[in-house]
Amino acid sequence: MKDLLVSLWAYRHFLLNSIWNDFRARFVRSRLGAAWIVFQPLSQVLIYAFILSNLLSAKVPGIENTYGYAIYLMSGLLAWNLFSEVLDRCIKVFVSNANAIKKVNFPRVTLPIIEVGAAITNNIILLAVMVVIFLILGHPPGWPMLLIFLMIPLIALFAMGIGLFLGVVNVFIRDVEQVTPIILQVLFWLTPIVYPSTIIPEKYMTWMRLNPVFQLVDFYHQVIVQSIVPSFTGVLIVGAIGAVASVVALLVFRRAGPDMVDVL
Amino acid sequence: MSIVRVDKISKSFKTYKSEWHRVLGWIGIEIAPLTEKTILSDVSFEVEAGQAIGLIGQNGAGKSTLLKIISGTMQANTGTVELNGRVSALLELGMGFNPDMTGRANVWNTAGLMGFSKDQIDDVMADIEDFAEIGTYFDEPIRTYSSGMQVRLAFSVATAFRPDILIVDEALSVGDAYFQHKSFARIRQFQEQGTTLLLVSHDRASVASLCDRALLIHDGKVAKDGDPEEVLDYYNAIVAQREGSRLEQVKGADGRVRTISGTGEATIENIQLVDEKGEDVDSLLVGDKASIIIDLAVHEPIPELVVGYMIKDRLGRAVFGTNSFHTKQVITDLKPGETYRYQYDFDVKIGHGNYSIQVALHQADSHIAKNYEWRDLALTFSVANTKYALFEGTSWIPPKLTIERQMGKETK
C-alpha cells in the first residue's frame, strides 16, 4: 500500500495533467465543449420536470418553491451522476487504456485515479451550474449544502471501490460493461431521484433503505432541498462500505495485474 | 556489474474453460486451466553495460514477450528480471498513442507515463518535434498519421532522454530509409555514451551492424548465444531445417564458426576459389577474374537442383548472391551416384576487405522449401586494391571523372 502511494506521488504531475487533458479533450473535438458536461444532466431534468412535475409537484416535501420538483430532481441527479460516472469510468478504464498498458511500463493505479479526478471535476462544474440555477429559481442554497464537499469524496470512494473491482473483472469478462448500464438503469429507478420517497409504500421502505445510493441521494435532498443537516449514520456506512470495497478492489487488482496484460 | 539480469524466466498464457475460473483463482480457489501455452521456459542471460544485443528468432518464438517482460509491461510466471538503470522501450510499433489526441498531447501523455515531470518534458519537446520531422502533423491528431509517422514520433519520444537500457522491438523496420539511418545514428550515439541496447529484428543487416552479441530464441529458449554472425547463420539454418536434416557448427582453423545444415540428398564434396589460371587462391585483387567451383554428389533421386552462392562482407552483410534458378540453369531429375561441377566465373568488382562465401544446394528459388545442403563461411578470401585508384566500400563502381572549369560571369 505504501509503494502505491509513493508511485502516485511520483506521478502527481502526470495525474493532474491527465485530468486536465480529459477535461480539455471535450473542447477540442466538440463545438460546445464543456457545456456538454452540464447539458446532458440538465436536459434530463427538463424532460422529467416537463413530464412529471404536474403529477408530482404537490408531493415534494419540505420545500415551498414552485420549482420545488426541479430542484429536487437536480439535487438527486447531482449525487447520482457522480456515482454513475465514476462507476462507469472505472469499469472501462483498463480496457480503454489497453494500448498504453501494453506498451509503457507505469503504475497502473494512476489510471483509475485519473478517471475519478475527471469525474469529480465534471461534477463540480455541474454543481456550480446548479447553484446558479437554484439562485435563479429563487432557492438560494443554505449552509448545509457545504456538506456536499464531504460527500463528493465519499461517493467517489464508494463508486471507485465497486467500479475498480468490476473494471478488473471486465478485462477478462467483457460482459461486465454491457450489463452495468442495465443494472444502473434498474438502480436509478429503485432510488427516489425522479419521484419523492414519500410515494413509496411504508412496507417497502425498509428494503429501499438498504440501497446505498438511496442513502446518498437522500442526503443530497436534505442538504439541498430542505437545507438541513441530516443524520450522518447512513452515509457513513456507505463510506465504510466504499473503503472496504476499495481495499478489496486494490487487492484483486494486485492479484490480477499480471494476467491483465496477457489478455488485453 | 551486469545491467540486465534475466534469471530463469518462464511465461505461459493460460486459457480457462470459463473466465470465471480465472477470477476464482484470485481469491484462492485454483482451478486448472484448460490449456497452458508456454511461450518462454527458463530463459536466463546477463547483459553487461554498453553491450548491444540482437534477439532473433522466428515469429512466435517469444522474443517480443521476453522484451515485454524485461521492460516490465508484462510479468513472468516465474523468474526474475533485475535492471540496473532506466529502461526505455519501443514495443511493437508505437507507444500506446491515443488516436484522438495530437502528436504533441501524446508526447505529453507518453512522457508522463514514462515518469517524466512537466519541466523535463518541456525541455525536450522541441527536440522531439525536430527529430520526428513530421512537420505540421505534430499538432494534428494521431489518427491522421501514417504508420511511418507514428513510428517516427514513437522513436523520438522513446529516445528523447538517453536511457540506460534501450529496448527496440521491430519498430525500425517500418520507418523509411532516411529515418532508419537517422535512428541508427542516434542508437549508435547512445551506445557510445554507454546505453545498453536490446533489439529485436528480422533484418540481418541491422543486427549485424548494431549488435555485438546475438541471442537466438527458439521454442521459448535461448538456443544460441554468441557472436551475431555465428548466431545469424545458425538461425538461417534452423529456418531451413526439416525433419531428418542435419545441423552442425564447426569451428574452423581461423576461429570462425561454420554452419552446415541440410537434408543431404545432395552434398557438397568440394568448394574452391580459383584465379584465372585455375589455381587455388585466398586473396584476390580488385579487377581480377576468379571462379567459384562447387563439386557435388547426388545420393538420392532429386527432382530439381539449384546451386547458389553468396559473397558476404566481414559483418555478414550480403555483397552479392545468385543461384542457378535465377540464371535459368535448373537441372532436373538427378539420379543417385551422379556428380556435378558448377563453376561460377566472375570479375572481382568488390572493394578491399575480407569476405566469405556461402553455398547452398536447394530446390526452387530459395532454400526454404527444400534444403539439401547449406554451408555458411564455406570459403573465406580477402581482396586488396593495388591496381586501381583508392576507393571505399564493398562495390567497385569505377567512375570517370570530368572536371571543367566554368567560365562564369564573375571572371568577365
Side-chain angles (χ1 to χ4, degrees):
Chain A
M1 197 58 98
K2 194 183 146 221
D3 49 326
L4 208 103
L5 294 173
V6 169
S7 62
L8 281 181
W9 179 248
Y11 274 75
R12 63 194 181 279
H13 297 292
F14 173 71
L15 287 173
L16 291 174
N17 186 50
S18 300
I19 293 170
W20 170 241
N21 271 342
D22 183 280
F23 178 69
R24 215 185 40 172
R26 290 161 193 272
F27 294 90
V28 181
R29 290 207 70 187
S30 57
R31 281 164 189 276
L32 290 178
W36 290 117
I37 300 171
V38 180
F39 279 170
Q40 202 253 336
L42 288 190
S43 63
Q44 223 176 332
V45 170
L46 276 175
I47 292 164
Y48 289 135
F50 183 73
I51 296 170
L52 299 171
S53 62
N54 290 329
L55 293 168
L56 296 163
S57 58
K59 290 174 186 166
V60 179
I63 183 165
E64 297 306 316
N65 193 301
T66 350
Y67 303 102
Y69 176 64
I71 294 163
Y72 176 85
L73 259 178
M74 281 192 267
S75 52
L77 281 175
L78 187 62
W80 173 263
N81 269 29
L82 179 60
F83 169 75
S84 64
E85 191 181 347
V86 170
L87 189 71
D88 184 58
R89 280 170 174 266
C90 286
I91 288 172
K92 293 177 181 156
V93 65
F94 299 115
V95 173
S96 56
N97 286 292
N99 222 352
I101 292 176
K102 283 192 287 186
K103 303 278 169 68
V104 189
N105 182 23
F106 65 101
R108 315 255 156 81
V109 73
T110 51
L111 292 174
I113 302 292
I114 291 166
E115 299 294 335
V116 171
I120 288 179
T121 314
N122 290 347
N123 197 249
I124 287 174
I125 293 169
L126 184 62
L127 170 66
V129 173
M130 280 186 179
V131 168
V132 174
I133 295 174
F134 292 156
L135 287 170
I136 294 169
L137 296 182
H139 180 75
W143 291 117
M145 201 168 152
L146 287 176
L147 289 170
I148 282 181
F149 289 102
L150 292 178
M151 289 301 288
I152 289 174
L154 189 143
I155 295 176
L157 182 74
F158 175 65
M160 187 186 78
I162 300 168
L164 196 53
F165 174 76
L166 293 177
V168 174
V169 177
N170 187 42
V171 171
F172 304 95
I173 306 165
R174 299 284 161 97
D175 309 59
V176 172
E177 68 179 62
Q178 305 295 335
V179 159
T180 329
I182 303 171
I183 294 172
L184 277 179
Q185 187 83 310
V186 173
L187 194 62
F188 178 79
W189 289 101
L190 282 179
T191 310
I193 296 169
V194 173
Y195 55 87
S197 55
T198 45
I199 68 165
I200 305 165
E202 199 54 42
K203 56 177 175 175
Y204 296 126
M205 238 355 231
T206 344
W207 294 104
M208 292 292 272
R209 287 193 178 280
L210 291 178
N211 170 5
V213 191
F214 177 97
Q215 298 293 340
L216 303 171
V217 170
D218 193 41
F219 193 91
Y220 271 57
H221 284 150
Q222 294 181 61
V223 296
I224 299 176
V225 181
Q226 301 167 14
S227 282
I228 57 170
V229 178
S231 149
F232 284 87
T233 327
V235 292
L236 283 180
I237 292 170
V238 177
I241 296 171
V244 172
S246 294
V247 171
V248 170
L250 281 175
L251 291 176
V252 168
F253 173 62
R254 272 280 162 91
R255 191 103 171 84
D259 275 14
M260 218 147 72
V261 191
D262 298 358
V263 300
L264 272 174
Chain B
M1 184 189 68
S2 52
I3 190 154
V4 179
R5 239 174 76 95
V6 173
D7 194 23
K8 295 197 176 68
I9 289 286
S10 294
K11 177 74 182 176
S12 59
F13 291 126
K14 295 171 185 159
T15 51
Y16 290 84
K17 197 169 166 207
S18 152
E19 285 295 326
W20 290 108
H21 292 173
R22 190 197 297 269
V23 175
L24 287 174
W26 306 335
I27 53 170
I29 306 166
E30 301 281 353
I31 293 166
L34 206 57
T35 59
E36 192 168 345
K37 199 168 83 193
T38 305
I39 305 295
L40 294 171
S41 54
D42 228 18
V43 172
S44 301
F45 62 92
E46 284 185 36
V47 184
E48 301 303 320
Q51 258 187 344
I53 302 222
L55 291 176
I56 49 182
Q58 282 162 289
N59 292 333
K63 306 177 300 275
S64 297
T65 306
L66 181 59
L67 287 193
K68 281 182 191 161
I69 291 170
I70 295 172
S71 69
T73 52
M74 196 175 258
Q75 270 164 37
N77 299 108
T78 57
T80 53
V81 175
E82 202 182 292
L83 301 169
N84 293 304
R86 192 179 71 78
V87 181
S88 182
L90 197 52
L91 302 169
E92 294 172 338
L93 323 179
M95 297 284 287
F97 291 141
N98 180 339
D100 279 332
M101 296 201 295
T102 64
R104 190 182 301 274
N106 268 295
V107 170
W108 267 104
N109 195 43
T110 305
L113 282 175
M114 288 161 73
F116 293 105
S117 72
K118 186 182 174 307
D119 293 342
Q120 286 173 306
I121 302 170
D122 273 337
D123 286 347
V124 294
M125 188 58 95
D127 290 347
I128 292 173
E129 193 176 351
D130 281 353
F131 194 85
E133 287 187 63
I134 51 173
T136 52
Y137 275 99
F138 196 61
D139 288 301
E140 301 276 331
I142 298 272
R143 72 192 132 81
T144 64
Y145 285 30
S146 69
S147 55
M149 284 157 75
Q150 287 202 35
V151 170
R152 281 174 170 230
L153 189 62
F155 184 83
S156 307
V157 178
T159 59
F161 303 91
R162 186 181 74 81
D164 301 310
I165 302 155
L166 178 65
I167 293 177
V168 181
D169 188 355
E170 290 286 350
L172 296 177
S173 51
V174 174
D176 54 22
Y178 168 73
F179 196 76
Q180 270 188 25
H181 278 280
K182 199 169 156 178
S183 30
F184 272 41
R186 180 172 266 196
I187 291 176
R188 285 213 183 84
Q189 180 202 331
F190 280 180
Q191 274 180 278
E192 280 160 21
Q193 292 169 347
T195 293
T196 301
L197 178 71
L198 289 175
L199 176 84
V200 163
S201 181
H202 288 288
D203 176 22
R204 196 185 166 103
S206 36
V207 174
S209 63
L210 280 174
C211 303
D212 46 32
R213 180 178 159 197
L215 293 181
L216 173 65
I217 310 293
H218 190 67
D219 290 338
K221 292 188 179 73
V222 179
K224 201 91 197 167
D225 179 352
D227 174 67
E229 201 190 340
E230 175 192 336
V231 176
L232 282 164
D233 287 344
Y234 190 82
Y235 168 58
N236 222 332
I238 281 189
V239 171
Q241 202 180 14
R242 293 289 179 275
E243 208 152 324
S245 86
R246 68 178 179 143
L247 172 57
E248 59 183 89
Q249 287 196 306
V250 288
K251 204 161 200 161
D254 55 355
R256 298 173 83 178
V257 177
R258 290 170 165 71
T259 306
I260 302 172
S261 66
T263 46
E265 287 93 332
T267 53
I268 297 165
E269 300 297 302
N270 185 36
I271 305 174
Q272 278 172 282
L273 179 69
V274 296
D275 62 11
E276 248 174 315
K277 288 169 239 143
E279 282 169 19
D280 276 352
V281 280
D282 60 2
S283 63
L284 293 162
L285 294 177
V286 175
D288 275 1
K289 286 186 183 303
S291 306
I292 296 167
I293 296 172
I294 303 156
D295 289 314
L296 58 92
V298 182
H299 305 292
E300 314 264 337
I302 299 173
E304 176 183 312
L305 179 71
V306 170
V307 176
Y309 74 100
M310 170 87 84
I311 299 176
K312 296 200 234 170
D313 73 0
R314 186 174 49 87
L315 293 173
R317 290 179 297 206
V319 173
F320 183 88
T322 192
N323 62 34
S324 56
F325 180 87
H326 297 306
T327 61
K328 301 194 171 56
Q329 290 164 290
V330 178
I331 294 177
T332 52
D333 284 328
L334 295 88
K335 306 276 182 304
E338 290 178 341
T339 58
Y340 289 86
R341 167 169 285 204
Y342 280 69
Q343 179 165 343
Y344 283 104
D345 298 328
F346 65 98
D347 293 335
V348 183
K349 292 190 168 180
I350 52 184
H352 166 91
N354 290 310
Y355 297 89
S356 69
I357 299 173
Q358 177 186 62
V359 180
L361 312 183
H362 53 83
Q363 199 180 317
D365 64 329
S366 80
H367 69 287
I368 306 295
K370 203 88 181 79
N371 172 33
Y372 306 126
E373 181 160 338
W374 175 285
R375 279 192 194 206
D376 285 303
L377 293 168
L379 281 176
T380 53
F381 65 98
S382 63
V383 173
N385 180 16
T386 53
K387 294 189 279 186
Y388 298 95
L390 186 72
F391 68 95
E392 290 291 326
T394 55
S395 304
W396 185 45
I397 315 167
K400 181 174 162 288
L401 174 65
T402 317
I403 304 175
E404 226 177 279
R405 182 158 182 196
Q406 296 285 301
M407 299 307 268
K409 290 168 203 129
E410 64 270 37
T411 55
K412 274 179 192 166

